Amino acid sequence: MAMIDVNGTTLAYDEAGPKDATAIVFSHSLFFNRAMFDYYLQNFSPQYRVVTYDHRGQGESASAPMDELDMDTLTDDAAALIEALDLGPCHFVGNSMGGFVALRLAARRPDLLRSAVALNSSAEEEHKLAEFEPVVAAARDKGPAELIDILMYIMFGDTSMAEETPAAKHWRLHMLSLPNSIADSAHQVIHRRSIVDELASTKVPVLAIAGSEDHAYPPPISSENIAAATGGRHLTVEAAGHSVSAEQPEIVAGHLRDHFARVDG
């Protein structure tokens, strides 16, 4: 692990691969941390310079007040990280919250990107705000451990939960350990603004990957809608929910390799 000071915060990150290779930056979901992409760090680093990092307020990165955890600030963090480590133009891959960042970078900082990949994400405002607000309030008052079954339903697909996969077991334990302060990040996730209008003019190649069993942002929100907003492409992965990158890493990695080859030529 390394730490870096950027944009008024301190971010924890891991890095592997040749320094002179094309870079891939992976950005994790709410309730997770950069370990969500350990598989990709290992499997892509022989060819690419791979960086995974924790968002401010999560993982091993610095804490922050709620008003500094909005998606715009997290996007500025990511841009500053790319610039500080001299990673651009890079491929930027984000799951859910990380996808919100990926799409904002595509709209606002195309100079930093080769492409953007949004996994189980959305370009729109929160479509389940009334449903998710009580969950966020309960997480703040009682802690995530009291809501673990609800969080697992949101974050994982039916197949992963029924089979009790290693990924589902690992991240269940992780979410059980989260502090009440994670509700601040969750609040900002569900109160984000739409990015659809900003994306209309992007020239960055965008790929949307959706899990067929996503309970949070099911297709077409996480697939066709993003492709329509960006002029990009979309794919759906079977037997995966909201955490498709953790639930089906081999399949997702294959899609990423194909996408990078298509963009890089």
Side-chain angles (χ1 to χ4, degrees):
M1 181 192 70
M3 306 293 288
I4 189 167
D5 294 331
V6 293
N7 196 38
T9 191
T10 303
L11 301 180
Y13 71 97
D14 291 322
E15 179 177 357
K19 291 283 189 181
D20 59 350
T22 296
I24 313 170
V25 180
F26 288 92
S27 185
H28 67 84
S29 294
L30 175 68
F31 303 123
F32 286 56
N33 59 30
R34 69 187 187 280
M36 184 178 204
F37 293 109
D38 281 353
Y39 175 90
Y40 304 85
L41 187 76
Q42 177 180 353
N43 283 274
F44 280 89
S45 57
Q47 181 180 358
Y48 295 93
R49 183 182 180 189
V50 183
V51 172
T52 64
Y53 73 99
D54 292 336
H55 297 294
R56 66 165 73 195
Q58 298 186 62
E60 295 178 287
S61 290
S63 60
M66 187 170 67
D67 63 358
E68 295 179 7
L69 296 171
D70 60 284
M71 298 306 101
D72 295 338
T73 300
L74 298 190
T75 300
D76 290 343
D77 288 350
L81 177 71
I82 293 168
E83 291 176 325
L85 295 178
D86 195 22
L87 301 172
C90 65
H91 298 290
F92 195 95
V93 181
N95 203 122
S96 189
M97 172 188 266
F100 304 151
V101 173
L103 294 174
R104 282 159 177 77
L105 286 173
R108 301 169 186 173
R109 293 300 309 270
D111 57 305
L112 297 179
L113 301 190
R114 289 177 180 265
S115 77
V117 182
L119 302 148
N120 287 108
S121 195
S122 172
E124 304 156 42
E125 64 185 5
E126 183 56 59
H127 75 119
K128 288 188 173 182
L129 185 60
E131 180 179 335
F132 286 159
E133 277 189 325
V135 177
V136 172
R140 180 174 289 110
D141 293 341
K142 301 177 182 179
E146 294 295 318
L147 307 166
I148 190 60
D149 290 337
I150 294 173
L151 297 183
M152 287 297 295
Y153 178 81
I154 293 170
M155 302 305 295
F156 283 90
D158 298 332
T159 299
S160 294
M161 290 191 292
E163 296 179 359
E164 296 185 334
T165 63
K169 290 179 179 178
H170 171 85
W171 291 109
R172 180 185 180 92
L173 289 174
H174 173 78
M175 287 190 282
L176 283 169
S177 71
L178 290 173
N180 295 34
S181 60
I182 194 64
D184 291 342
S185 293
H187 173 91
Q188 293 289 21
V189 162
I190 66 173
H191 288 93
R192 69 188 182 279
R193 296 190 301 272
S194 171
I195 194 78
V196 171
D197 289 344
E198 286 189 63
L199 286 167
S201 61
T202 187
K203 301 295 191 239
V204 174
V206 173
L207 173 64
I209 300 179
S212 64
E213 300 172 356
D214 189 349
H215 302 132
Y217 305 135
I221 292 171
S222 51
S223 55
E224 290 101 324
N225 291 10
I226 293 174
T230 62
R233 299 185 305 120
H234 68 88
L235 299 165
T236 299
V237 176
E238 299 299 320
H242 192 59
S243 304
V244 63
S245 60
E247 294 176 80
Q248 296 288 357
E250 293 182 1
I251 294 173
V252 171
H255 288 322
L256 292 179
R257 288 191 185 279
D258 290 345
H259 169 70
F260 299 153
R262 180 190 293 253
V263 171
D264 294 334

